[in-house]
Amino acid sequence: MERRKFIICDSACANWGKSDTLLEIIATLKKSSQYKLLCEKPNTEKDKWCYFVDEEKSVVISTLGDPNSAQPKWLEDAAKTNANVIVTACRTRGSSVNVVYDVANRYDYEIIWFNNFHCDDTKLVSLSPMVDIKNIEVNCIINIIELLQ
């Protein structure tokens, strides 16, 4: 039986921290002794495409999720690796969401959708425990990656 493949997609409005969340996941996996970075495509400071492996699975993280960007190519490149897990981002509706559905359908991926935590009140963001909210989110996504078989 072929192993199931998953796209974990952060679907959120513009400027809600999707790329920041995924960049932190990349940084955490780079520091991990469990994952080996096989490929990091030279991209912008804000967006990256990284391919990791461990003993059991392969993971591609593609941070680009904006409409009218290279998101379709980046996601297609991720799917062509046949990675067990792709972690990516998109907006809440429109073309970037359609790209995720299209790639998932064509390459036989199941989609797990999530919205990153967001707080409009900057005073609340600076208060504990909100300070660690991004870290909680990053750890949650990494835990999901670990659980997927």
Side-chain angles (χ1 to χ4, degrees):
M1 184 167 121
E2 191 172 322
R3 190 174 195 171
R4 293 168 65 188
K5 301 181 297 186
F6 298 90
I7 293 176
I8 301 172
C9 187
D10 185 352
S11 171
C13 298
N15 301 314
W16 270 34
K18 298 179 297 293
S19 291
D20 291 341
T21 299
L22 300 187
L23 288 170
E24 189 59 35
I25 293 169
I26 289 170
T28 302
L29 293 185
K30 281 182 173 180
K31 289 185 239 173
S32 167
S33 60
Q34 179 179 345
Y35 288 93
K36 179 181 177 183
L37 178 63
L38 289 187
C39 178
E40 182 173 6
K41 293 187 179 184
N43 302 307
T44 67
E45 243 178 70
K46 183 76 174 164
D47 288 298
K48 295 198 178 300
W49 189 101
C50 294
Y51 182 43
F52 294 91
V53 294
D54 73 0
E55 291 180 8
E56 297 179 7
K57 68 176 68 85
S58 54
V59 179
V60 173
I61 303 174
S62 174
T63 65
L64 195 59
D66 295 328
N68 303 314
S69 70
Q71 182 226 20
K73 180 176 178 359
W74 284 25
L75 198 52
E76 181 93 18
D77 288 350
K80 285 179 179 176
T81 69
N82 203 32
N84 304 104
V85 180
I86 298 170
V87 182
T88 193
C90 72
R91 296 285 176 86
T92 55
R93 63 182 186 268
S95 64
S96 65
V97 176
N98 296 338
V99 167
V100 175
Y101 279 120
D102 177 58
V103 169
N105 288 333
R106 286 189 294 117
Y107 290 91
D108 199 29
Y109 279 86
E110 298 173 58
I111 305 172
I112 299 170
W113 296 99
F114 78 97
N115 294 98
N116 57 317
F117 297 123
H118 180 76
C119 182
D120 289 332
D121 188 339
T122 55
K123 289 181 225 161
L124 286 177
V125 172
S126 64
L127 299 175
S128 184
M130 296 299 284
V131 170
D132 292 330
I133 206 160
K134 186 65 69 190
N135 205 23
I136 292 167
E137 184 174 71
V138 166
N139 288 330
C140 178
I141 299 306
I142 290 172
N143 286 337
I144 291 170
I145 291 169
E146 295 297 316
L147 292 172
L148 294 176
Q149 294 297 327

